[in-house]
């Protein structure tokens, strides 16, 4: 069923790990998890849980340029979102966690 869905992915990247949230067209979470903040690790997780993701989003940050180029080279449809824009969208969250941030980023990617 997941393969037939349009999927959007949010990445909340830190130096130690990357929180990943995959959502469907309606905005409901399909999968959530984490992996090391390396292009190959992220691509492997996405290959397993969101193989045909429409769009993958992450915030600007210290690893953003390196990850963006690495993920693009691996065929991931990655978008880098300005941290201020994402912060404005995430400011409505009641419970701020890395996992919830990844979900919020996926929602931003889904809504355009």
């Amino acid at each position: 069923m997941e393969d037939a869905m349009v999927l959007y992915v949010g990445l909340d990247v830190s130096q130690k790990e990357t929180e990943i949230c995959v959502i469907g067209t309606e905005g409901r979470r399909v999968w959530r998890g984490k992996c090391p903040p390396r292009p190959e690790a992220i691509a492997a997780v996405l290959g397993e849980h969101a193989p045909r993701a429409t769009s993958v989003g992450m915030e600007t940050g210290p690893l953003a340029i390196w990850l963006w180029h690495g993920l693009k080279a691996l065929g991931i449809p990655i978008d880098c979102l300005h941290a201020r824009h994402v912060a404005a969208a995430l400011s409505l969250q009641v419970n701020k966690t890395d996992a919830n941030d990844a979900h919020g980023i996926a929602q931003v990617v889904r809504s355009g």
Side-chain angles (χ1 to χ4, degrees), residues 17-32:
E17 65 186 8
T18 299
E19 286 282 347
I20 302 172
C21 183
V22 180
I23 63 172
T25 308
E26 301 296 318
R28 290 190 189 102
R29 188 175 59 231
V30 174
W31 185 83
R32 179 183 357 192

Side-chain angles (χ1 to χ4, degrees), residues 33-45:
K34 23 180 130 171
C35 72
R38 295 189 319 271
E40 299 80 14
I42 295 168
V45 169

